[in-house]
């Protein structure tokens, strides 16, 4: 047995590639997830997130590339790996006519060690639903049950694929706090999401993925800081008038200007300086505002800066 060095990462992959016919779903992707962190793959639908995690989970074979999980490899250490991983798939189909506790007991029986069924239900706040049929649960409760099934073996590494898609805000927060609890017990998380606020709220580090590649990597704070601007001014003008991006980019305090269809986005350091100058410039060009907003720069803006598209557009 090779002991895991203290600084060894929880997960490493290098040069991953996966094709489906002519579609390259994952294209030379590298990742490193550290022990104890919550790492997020953030990207639009079709970016290759699910394909990537399914390779890392040992469910799909890559065409090329190397994967090491907890210092072990798929193909040689599968049994040992399965005991130490928790997996929540993008879509979980559980038998609707089984009770919540029966499902958890079933999943618990697959593993040598782990908390009691009662303790797992407590972690996911489903004690009051233990005798309810799965078919009677709300979306948020079903999703917490799916996470419960991933926690039955007290995993070292938890994979979550779009854990909060389709959930209402309260269920989302409940799931987030459940993940905080897992982190507090020393667990490592790799999650995928297309919600930038989720990545910003949960993740220590984020890899922004687009078209099967990592296009930006860092803490949410570092990624936003890499824009070189703390705020984004976003506006549109009436009609189909041409706006001169060059004139806007030259305004004091503007770091970058992007004209994207009818929407113009300015990355700015000092909104109180830019906004009056911008309004004066639009008046000079004879343009009227149709929309106008200023917001703090987010991971969404990082994605736009790298790709020229919105996360939600896909
Ligand atoms: N089983 C499959 N067969 C063919 N194409 C697939 C299959 N799974 C995924 N794809 C394609 O691979 C790309 C990446 O998909 P996916 O990994 O599901 O992305 P994401 O999870 O980021 O939405 C998409 O273009 C998708 O249509
Ligand atoms: Mg997916």
């Amino acid at each position: 047995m090779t002991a895991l060095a203290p600084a060894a990462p929880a997960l490493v992959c290098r040069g991953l590639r996966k094709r489906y016919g002519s579609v390259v779903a994952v294209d030379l992707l590298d990742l490193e997830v550290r022990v104890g962190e919550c790492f997020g793959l953030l990207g639009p639908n079709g970016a290759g997130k699910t394909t990537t995690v399914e390779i890392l989970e040992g469910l799909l074979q890559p065409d090329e590339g190397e994967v090491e999980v907890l210092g072990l490899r798929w193909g040689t250490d599968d049994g040992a790996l399965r005991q130490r991983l928790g997996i929540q798939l993008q879509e979980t189909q559980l038998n609707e006519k089984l009770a919540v506790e029966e499902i958890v007991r079933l999943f618990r029986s697959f593993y040598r060690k782990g908390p009691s069924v009662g303790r797992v239900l407590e972690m996911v706040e489903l004690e009051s639903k233990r005798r309810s049929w799965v078919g009677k649960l709300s979306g948020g409760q079903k999703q917490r049950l799916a996470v419960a099934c991933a926690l039955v073996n007290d995993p070292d590494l938890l994979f979550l694929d779009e854990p909060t898609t389709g959930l209402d805000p309260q269920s989302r927060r409940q799931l987030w706090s459940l993940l905080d609890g897992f982190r507090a017990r020393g667990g490592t998380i790799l999650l995928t999401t297309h919600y930038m606020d989720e990545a910003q709220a949960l993740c220590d580090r984020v890899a922004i993925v687009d078209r099967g590649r990592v296009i930006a990597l860092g803490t949410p704070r570092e990624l936003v800081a890499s824009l070189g601007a703390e705020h984004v001014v976003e506006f549109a003008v009436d009609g189909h008038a041409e706006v001169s991006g060059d004139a806007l980019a030259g305004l004091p305090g503007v770091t970058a200007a992007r004209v994207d269809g009818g929407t113009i986005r300015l990355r700015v350091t000092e909104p109180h300086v830019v906004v009056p100058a911008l309004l004066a410039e639009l008046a000079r060009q004879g343009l009227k505002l149709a929309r106008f907003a200023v917001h703090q720069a987010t991971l969404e803006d990082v994605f736009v800066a790298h790709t020229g598209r919105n996360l939600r557009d896909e």
Side-chain angles (χ1 to χ4, degrees):
M1 278 263 259
T2 45
L4 205 59
L11 184 154
V12 198
C13 71
R14 297 268 174 258
L16 276 197
R17 195 177 247 158
K18 179 76 181 177
R19 287 189 192 82
Y20 293 111
S22 62
V23 175
V24 185
V26 179
D27 194 13
L28 292 179
L29 188 129
D30 298 336
L31 287 178
E32 192 167 312
V33 178
R34 299 169 189 155
V35 172
E37 78 177 338
C38 179
F39 188 95
L41 292 181
L42 174 67
N45 287 329
K49 304 180 299 295
T50 295
T51 306
T52 301
V53 288
E54 290 188 349
I55 291 169
L56 303 175
E57 292 163 350
L59 302 175
L60 272 181
Q61 281 275 2
D63 298 329
E64 292 168 37
E66 307 246 317
V67 176
E68 202 175 292
V69 183
L70 302 171
L72 303 171
R73 277 171 192 268
W74 292 112
T76 50
D77 311 304
D78 295 31
L81 268 171
R82 289 267 163 252
Q83 290 293 324
R84 295 177 58 193
L85 300 182
I87 295 179
Q88 176 251 320
L89 299 173
Q90 183 161 355
E91 294 199 349
T92 310
Q93 297 294 338
L94 296 168
N95 191 328
E96 304 258 300
K97 297 285 169 60
L98 284 179
V100 165
E101 67 179 347
E102 290 175 309
I103 298 271
V104 176
R105 191 170 303 121
L106 176 68
F107 276 80
R108 177 67 189 84
S109 73
F110 302 151
Y111 298 97
R112 287 192 290 271
K113 71 166 183 67
S116 68
V117 170
R119 174 72 190 114
V120 174
L121 291 175
E122 192 186 317
M123 286 192 267
V124 300
E125 295 182 51
L126 282 177
E127 302 111 300
S128 64
K129 294 286 168 192
R130 60 188 304 152
R131 291 188 221 294
S132 302
W133 281 1
V134 172
K136 302 284 181 199
L137 300 180
S138 70
Q141 290 164 344
K142 276 195 182 136
Q143 197 61 337
R144 297 211 299 287
L145 178 58
V147 176
C149 294
L151 292 177
V152 289
N153 55 334
D154 189 19
D156 295 320
L157 174 58
L158 180 59
F159 290 99
L160 302 159
D161 195 0
E162 305 266 0
T164 67
T165 295
L167 297 191
D168 60 83
Q170 195 199 341
S171 303
R172 248 178 130 207
R173 299 220 160 254
Q174 221 169 351
L175 204 110
W176 288 1
S177 89
L178 148 63
L179 299 182
D180 282 342
F182 177 74
R183 296 277 314 284
R185 297 191 293 278
T188 305
I189 299 176
L190 173 61
L191 67 83
T192 78
T193 185
H194 66 278
Y195 296 124
M196 54 95 192
D197 60 329
E198 179 156 277
Q200 208 141 2
L202 287 180
C203 299
D204 299 303
R205 289 192 308 141
V206 172
I208 300 184
V209 181
D210 187 43
R211 299 183 175 149
R213 285 172 183 261
V214 174
I215 58 169
L217 172 75
T219 66
R221 186 184 287 248
E222 285 165 355
L223 288 171
V224 171
S226 74
L227 292 173
E230 280 152 28
H231 296 85
V232 175
V233 176
E234 198 174 303
F235 66 95
V237 294
D238 263 347
H240 298 283
E242 283 284 310
V243 180
S244 158
D246 288 347
L248 300 176
L251 293 175
V254 173
T255 357
R258 182 185 287 276
V259 182
D260 176 17
T263 302
I264 300 105
R265 288 194 188 82
L266 307 178
R267 303 210 299 264
V268 311
T269 43
E270 295 182 302
H272 64 283
V273 175
V274 172
V275 171
L278 169 64
L279 297 179
E281 173 61 23
L282 292 177
R284 198 187 61 78
Q285 294 187 29
L287 300 168
K288 273 178 92 175
L289 281 175
R291 274 190 296 118
F292 183 82
V294 182
H295 63 255
Q296 289 234 307
T298 65
L299 290 174
E300 176 96 33
D301 299 307
V302 179
F303 185 80
V304 173
H306 280 276
T307 65
R309 291 172 291 127
N310 292 313
L311 273 169
R312 290 173 301 250
D313 282 351
E314 311 298 295

